[in-house]
Amino acid sequence: MINRLYRLLQENLDPHKVLRDADILEGYSRDETPDMAAAPDILVRAENADDVSMTLKLCSEHKIPVTPRGAGTGVTGGALPVMQGVVLSLEKCNRILEIDRNNMVAVVEPGAVTGDIQKAALEQGLMYPPDPASLETCSIGGNVAEGAGGPRAVKYGTTKDYILGLEFVLPDGSLIQTGGKIVKNATGYNLAGILIGSEGTLAVITKIYLKLIPAPKVTLDILLPFDSLDQAIDAVHAVLMNRVIPAALEFMEQDAISLVSKHIQNTIPCADAGAHLLIQIDGNTEDQVLADLQTIVEAARINPDRMFVAQSPSQKERLWKARRSIRESIQAECGFFAAEDCVVPRAGIPQFVKDLKAYFHYKALRSVMFGHAGDGNVHIDILKDAIAYDEWKNMLPGIKREIYSRALACGGTITGEHGIGCLRKEYLPLALSSDAIDLSRRIKAAFDPGMILNPGKIFP
Amino acid sequence: MINRLYRLLQENLDPHKVLRDADILEGYSRDETPDMAAAPDILVRAENADDVSMTLKLCSEHKIPVTPRGAGTGVTGGALPVMQGVVLSLEKCNRILEIDRNNMVAVVEPGAVTGDIQKAALEQGLMYPPDPASLETCSIGGNVAEGAGGPRAVKYGTTKDYILGLEFVLPDGSLIQTGGKIVKNATGYNLAGILIGSEGTLAVITKIYLKLIPAPKVTLDILLPFDSLDQAIDAVHAVLMNRVIPAALEFMEQDAISLVSKHIQNTIPCADAGAHLLIQIDGNTEDQVLADLQTIVEAARINPDRMFVAQSPSQKERLWKARRSIRESIQAECGFFAAEDCVVPRAGIPQFVKDLKAYFHYKALRSVMFGHAGDGNVHIDILKDAIAYDEWKNMLPGIKREIYSRALACGGTITGEHGIGCLRKEYLPLALSSDAIDLSRRIKAAFDPGMILNPGKIFP
């Protein structure tokens, strides 16, 4: 069956787009999910929507699974062909088709790198705000499929807030367009709404209309040290209630600060603090940004001598270095860790973090927590340390269940950015009722009645 | 069958919630859609989610259509029971359950009036931005069902940008919760995404989690007169590219200005202009708002002596009076009109308006156009004048088809705020391909396999 499909794909697409050399397939057997691999039988590198349509049509006819793949930067195994079959790579569909300055819209193909879109927009004085950590390598199609976030979500929202239109292909090969260069639309169901964050299980996206906004002229980064995480989160409320919405509002708790201090080359400012807030403010004029800074200092009741304000590129770099070095520091410290990204109502962050710390302490585990204070999105990294690999693998499910239960108990959910993928699908029933999962399965069947698209993901 | 259902509803709900007095049913036979009426067989006034669930369950079992109804302010017949059966009114589920200041979230029932939610939020220094024209009477559940917009969409977005979570009931009576007091969520499909704007055809919403933002402290309203609509829209681009995003950015073309001038009591400022922009700017401080005003004046190349700046409440009132009096003026002028709300890419507004004006001139029809310049959302009101009613009814379908075709030809769509409902369903195939409509029908079946929920809407 696979041989026959291979021949048909070669006949119907250019042969150079259809590959099954073992060494090439090997390169498509991993994404950035730790400790997980699965190679496809066939790789298709689509170069346009027709290639995508033909591939899906043939795979539907042969009932062969198709796993769409962007840049492979996901961390929950979304791009891995866990049921084998075809990996449909969109990496060659990577053109930025248009930056429409007057309408403030970018039209792009799904394989375009998010950072490249940002640069192209900025050349026209415009900004595409979502900024996942993998910005420089991840593709916009993957961002849409995963509903990617990033530090700037607190002010600017996530990927879903910038999708004006999509062109996508259903598993039967039909091509559908929804929306376009329009910012309002009440014409039929919001099909883009359900596709965003559907992790490649409903359709394959072939074109994206992105909303752009005017780029701010001035940005300022500051680091505020606090004695405790409680004080830091109180300051977050005070800042927001004083009507300053920072472009980024990141927190690091004490263990994150200590670990980074230990492994980073340069010293980090205020390394003795109980918690850090790393804040970026942006605006139209220097006066406005400085007024916002003044508001923040007063609202957060910060001693101005203690805070660190970065204006030059090298100062900014120093400030963000600590935040960006957390994962690298954990790698250096213990080589291996588990990463979760729960969400809780913002006001619940301190209690959630303290309770989890107590639980990890009881389990004799070290952990590092940090994340997006403005969104209630808490990154929880648990260090393997000297625990034997098998024991670690055995204990992880219980630990995950405990973390998720605590997030849900305080009104949150199990993942805010990374998605469900393969990694969390067995835990979905903790977060969603069986009625909600059944409804989701029926929606899946409405798009993909043959169940060929990215099987083994999301659903338990 | 209806009698049996009536008895069962009376037995299973409190009898006072289940009504079929003809005079009461008559009151539920209309919404604000001109020239359209349909009375239900039974009215259920639900008081909680259990009532909704029981009603839907019984109607599913008896295959009786259910039309959910909020405040009945829709203009496309969405709340009218065109297939008879049960009207399920949510007017008594109208509590504002919580304004959570720290998390900046409102938790409300669907029958709560949007304006009341705004007032409750403002008492805590917070804002719920979406502002449909029917703000003071429409209900939030209807806003979600229709994906309501309003003038502030240019800066703050529409209803969909403020929905953090929903509780809803499927036609089989099962209750589902998605999201909550969280601003990020990557846990399973975005069920809220597809419910927003689904016009009551997929599920009945029983609780809504709304994102709130800090309320701006200062607002300023200005009216800018231009010689032509081209100049006005050029000014819109220039303002936005200079990084000022006004809270509202409304345009009126010459015929709209003239008609309002003729019928309004007070004079309107700059009534001799070829086009008006009515702009609201808001911000944290007076300095910031005045800086934005200066930027607007320079970017729009406006003679400051010509513009009208309102600061006092009575001045603001005078300014918005003209914008709000358009429909009333048309009523006074000719009694009857047809209202469309197409969307085009923003830069396409002048050409779209000019081409339509030429078409209406050729058809010897008078028209008035105005709307949301920042969003490309153009309200098109066509005056019946002395045309006989039957002739008018006969000519409208051809005129609508022409308007929609022109909006679609320039990359827009047929409705930006009002939705499809009964009024536009025959025109949906102009905007969506048969594949897209088929997919939408399958999504409908995934939620509502018995097809009992709001039949006769959206689908041709």
Side-chain angles (χ1 to χ4, degrees):
Chain A
M1 186 70 103
I2 280 288
N3 288 337
R4 189 177 141 72
L5 177 66
Y6 177 71
R7 275 200 314 278
L8 281 170
L9 285 166
Q10 285 236 321
E11 279 165 34
N12 284 280
L13 306 173
D14 273 340
H16 75 274
K17 300 175 184 171
V18 186
L19 301 154
R20 54 172 180 181
D21 316 67
D23 57 330
I24 293 175
L25 297 185
E26 165 64 21
Y28 290 79
S29 70
R30 293 175 186 279
D31 59 7
E32 296 188 9
T33 313
D35 214 22
M36 187 171 274
D41 298 306
I42 299 171
L43 168 69
V44 175
R45 284 199 190 116
E47 295 182 9
N48 51 54
D50 286 344
D51 291 347
V52 171
S53 173
M54 179 56 72
T55 303
L56 287 171
K57 190 167 166 289
L58 289 172
C59 289
S60 272
E61 285 168 9
H62 292 77
K63 303 198 193 313
I64 298 292
V66 180
T67 301
R69 181 183 175 103
T73 58
V75 293
T76 54
L80 302 186
V82 292
M83 308 272 186
Q84 288 77 51
V86 172
V87 159
L88 175 55
S89 169
L90 283 307
E91 70 199 291
K92 304 278 187 191
C93 298
N94 63 354
R95 289 178 299 168
I96 296 171
L97 299 169
E98 188 185 2
I99 303 289
D100 178 342
R101 189 170 180 273
N102 267 345
N103 287 309
M104 298 191 191
V105 175
V107 188
V108 301
E109 292 184 333
V113 171
T114 307
D116 293 345
I117 297 169
Q118 291 189 338
K119 281 175 209 124
L122 201 56
E123 282 170 17
Q124 305 286 332
L126 297 168
M127 168 154 104
Y128 173 69
D131 58 343
S134 52
L135 190 58
E136 297 302 333
T137 50
C138 66
S139 68
I140 189 74
N143 292 177
V144 177
E146 298 290 324
R152 286 203 288 231
V154 58
K155 178 167 183 175
Y156 293 109
T158 63
T159 306
K160 76 172 163 47
D161 300 306
Y162 293 88
I163 306 303
L164 302 179
L166 292 177
E167 180 193 86
F168 58 92
V169 181
L170 290 179
D172 68 5
S174 55
L175 185 84
I176 293 179
Q177 160 110 19
T178 179
K181 289 185 182 179
I182 46 175
V183 292
K184 266 186 190 167
N185 192 350
T187 308
Y189 292 158
N190 179 14
L191 298 175
I194 193 80
L195 284 175
I196 299 163
S198 64
E199 305 192 15
T201 63
L202 298 180
V204 178
I205 294 161
T206 50
K207 198 191 282 181
I208 304 164
Y209 294 80
L210 295 171
K211 176 179 165 179
L212 304 175
I213 61 171
K217 283 183 192 159
V218 186
T219 66
L220 188 73
D221 299 272
I222 53 177
L223 188 144
L224 304 186
F226 294 88
D227 292 339
S228 70
L229 188 59
D230 283 283
Q231 285 178 22
I233 302 300
D234 282 350
V236 168
H237 297 315
V239 167
L240 295 175
M241 283 309 298
N242 277 277
R243 298 172 173 80
V244 175
I245 311 281
L249 188 42
E250 301 285 298
F251 79 93
M252 287 170 69
E253 50 88 26
Q254 195 158 25
D255 292 337
I257 301 168
S258 312
L259 197 72
V260 171
S261 298
K262 184 172 160 190
H263 290 281
I264 207 170
Q265 286 285 339
N266 281 309
T267 55
I268 67 169
C270 320
D272 57 334
H276 282 176
L277 288 182
L278 177 53
I279 299 181
Q280 183 173 84
I281 33 183
D282 63 7
N284 220 348
T285 63
E286 196 144 324
D287 284 354
Q288 189 189 324
V289 168
L290 291 175
D292 283 352
L293 175 61
Q294 186 60 32
T295 305
I296 289 174
V297 168
E298 285 165 18
R301 298 189 203 171
I302 275 287
N303 176 350
D305 299 339
R306 285 274 287 159
M307 74 181 180
F308 185 94
V309 180
Q311 277 184 297
S312 74
S314 70
Q315 286 173 322
K316 284 176 200 266
E317 174 57 25
R318 184 179 168 211
L319 218 45
W320 282 93
K321 176 79 181 169
R323 171 67 178 83
R324 281 202 311 264
S325 302
I326 296 176
R327 291 270 154 82
E328 191 184 306
S329 303
I330 299 173
Q331 286 280 6
E333 178 78 8
C334 80
F336 214 77
F337 62 99
E340 298 298 334
D341 77 313
C342 293
V343 185
V344 295
R346 187 176 54 230
I349 293 177
Q351 197 60 46
F352 178 66
V353 168
K354 268 186 284 191
D355 288 352
L356 270 187
K357 283 278 172 194
Y359 167 71
F360 291 141
H361 183 75
Y362 166 74
K363 287 278 190 182
L365 289 165
R366 288 200 297 162
S367 66
V368 164
M369 300 192 207
F370 59 99
H372 315 301
D375 309 322
N377 193 185
V378 180
H379 289 289
I380 305 150
D381 288 1
I382 310 150
L383 282 61
K384 178 177 159 294
D385 283 330
I387 301 166
Y389 181 77
D390 286 347
E391 192 188 340
W392 170 252
K393 288 296 268 187
N394 284 336
M395 65 194 292
L396 269 186
I399 294 169
K400 284 187 178 198
R401 193 169 288 270
E402 185 69 27
I403 296 172
Y404 299 155
S405 303
R406 286 164 187 257
L408 291 161
C410 63
T413 194
I414 66 180
T415 170
E417 297 184 326
H418 298 166
I420 300 294
C422 320
L423 274 195
R424 301 196 174 95
K425 62 182 185 160
E426 300 309 332
Y427 306 92
L428 194 68
L430 293 177
L432 299 183
S433 68
S434 60
D435 284 333
I437 295 175
D438 287 347
L439 173 62
S440 302
R441 284 189 199 277
R442 294 196 300 272
I443 294 171
K444 162 76 174 167
F447 282 82
D448 181 21
M451 298 291 178
I452 64 157
L453 210 48
N454 212 357
K457 311 297 161 69
I458 298 184
F459 294 101
Chain B
M1 186 70 102
I2 279 289
N3 288 337
R4 188 177 141 73
L5 176 66
Y6 177 71
R7 275 200 314 277
L8 281 169
L9 285 167
Q10 285 236 322
E11 279 166 35
N12 285 280
L13 306 174
D14 273 340
H16 75 275
K17 300 174 184 172
V18 186
L19 301 154
R20 56 173 180 179
D21 316 67
D23 56 332
I24 294 175
L25 297 184
E26 164 65 21
Y28 290 79
S29 70
R30 293 176 186 278
D31 59 7
E32 297 189 7
T33 313
D35 215 22
M36 186 171 277
D41 299 307
I42 299 171
L43 168 69
V44 176
R45 284 199 190 116
E47 294 182 10
N48 52 54
D50 286 344
D51 291 347
V52 172
S53 174
M54 178 56 72
T55 304
L56 287 171
K57 189 166 166 290
L58 289 172
C59 289
S60 272
E61 286 167 9
H62 292 77
K63 303 196 191 318
I64 298 294
V66 180
T67 301
R69 180 183 175 103
T73 58
V75 293
T76 54
L80 302 186
V82 291
M83 308 273 188
Q84 287 77 50
V86 173
V87 159
L88 176 54
S89 169
L90 283 306
E91 70 200 289
K92 304 279 185 190
C93 299
N94 62 354
R95 288 178 299 167
I96 295 171
L97 299 169
E98 187 185 1
I99 303 288
D100 178 342
R101 189 171 179 272
N102 268 344
N103 287 309
M104 299 191 189
V105 175
V107 187
V108 301
E109 293 184 332
V113 171
T114 307
D116 293 343
I117 297 169
Q118 291 190 338
K119 281 175 210 124
L122 201 57
E123 280 170 18
Q124 305 286 332
L126 297 168
M127 168 154 106
Y128 173 69
D131 58 343
S134 51
L135 189 57
E136 296 303 332
T137 50
C138 66
S139 67
I140 189 74
N143 291 177
V144 177
E146 298 289 325
R152 286 204 289 232
V154 59
K155 178 167 184 174
Y156 293 109
T158 63
T159 306
K160 76 172 162 47
D161 301 305
Y162 293 87
I163 306 303
L164 302 179
L166 293 176
E167 180 192 87
F168 59 92
V169 182
L170 291 179
D172 68 6
S174 55
L175 185 83
I176 292 179
Q177 161 109 20
T178 179
K181 288 185 181 179
I182 45 175
V183 292
K184 266 185 189 169
N185 192 350
T187 308
Y189 292 157
N190 178 15
L191 298 175
I194 193 80
L195 283 176
I196 299 162
S198 64
E199 306 192 15
T201 63
L202 298 180
V204 178
I205 294 161
T206 50
K207 198 191 282 182
I208 304 164
Y209 294 80
L210 296 171
K211 176 179 166 179
L212 304 176
I213 61 172
K217 284 182 191 159
V218 186
T219 65
L220 188 73
D221 299 272
I222 54 177
L223 188 146
L224 304 185
F226 294 88
D227 292 338
S228 70
L229 188 59
D230 283 282
Q231 285 178 20
I233 301 301
D234 282 348
V236 169
H237 298 314
V239 167
L240 296 175
M241 282 308 298
N242 277 277
R243 297 172 174 78
V244 175
I245 311 280
L249 188 41
E250 302 284 298
F251 79 93
M252 287 171 69
E253 50 89 26
Q254 194 159 26
D255 292 337
I257 302 169
S258 310
L259 196 71
V260 171
S261 298
K262 184 172 161 191
H263 290 281
I264 208 170
Q265 286 285 339
N266 282 308
T267 55
I268 67 169
C270 319
D272 57 334
H276 281 175
L277 288 183
L278 177 53
I279 300 181
Q280 183 173 85
I281 33 183
D282 63 9
N284 221 347
T285 63
E286 196 143 324
D287 284 354
Q288 188 190 327
V289 168
L290 291 175
D292 282 352
L293 176 60
Q294 185 60 30
T295 305
I296 289 174
V297 169
E298 285 165 17
R301 297 189 203 173
I302 275 286
N303 176 351
D305 299 341
R306 284 274 287 158
M307 73 182 180
F308 184 94
V309 179
Q311 277 184 299
S312 72
S314 71
Q315 285 173 321
K316 283 177 201 263
E317 175 57 25
R318 183 179 169 211
L319 219 45
W320 282 92
K321 177 78 180 168
R323 170 66 178 83
R324 281 202 310 265
S325 302
I326 295 176
R327 290 270 155 82
E328 189 184 307
S329 303
I330 299 172
Q331 287 281 6
E333 178 79 8
C334 79
F336 213 77
F337 62 98
E340 298 298 334
D341 77 313
C342 294
V343 185
V344 295
R346 187 175 56 230
I349 294 177
Q351 196 61 45
F352 178 67
V353 168
K354 269 186 283 192
D355 287 353
L356 270 188
K357 283 280 173 192
Y359 166 73
F360 291 141
H361 183 75
Y362 165 75
K363 288 280 193 179
L365 288 166
R366 287 200 298 163
S367 66
V368 164
M369 300 192 209
F370 59 98
H372 315 301
D375 309 323
N377 194 186
V378 181
H379 288 289
I380 305 151
D381 289 1
I382 311 151
L383 281 61
K384 177 175 160 295
D385 283 330
I387 301 166
Y389 181 77
D390 287 347
E391 191 188 340
W392 169 253
K393 288 296 268 188
N394 283 336
M395 64 194 293
L396 269 185
I399 294 168
K400 283 187 178 199
R401 192 168 288 271
E402 184 70 27
I403 295 172
Y404 298 155
S405 302
R406 286 164 187 257
L408 291 162
C410 61
T413 193
I414 67 180
T415 170
E417 298 184 326
H418 298 166
I420 300 295
C422 320
L423 273 195
R424 302 196 173 98
K425 62 182 185 160
E426 300 308 332
Y427 306 93
L428 194 67
L430 295 176
L432 300 183
S433 68
S434 61
D435 285 334
I437 294 174
D438 288 348
L439 173 62
S440 302
R441 283 188 199 278
R442 294 196 300 272
I443 294 171
K444 162 77 174 167
F447 281 82
D448 181 20
M451 298 292 180
I452 64 156
L453 209 48
N454 212 359
K457 311 295 163 68
I458 298 186
F459 294 101

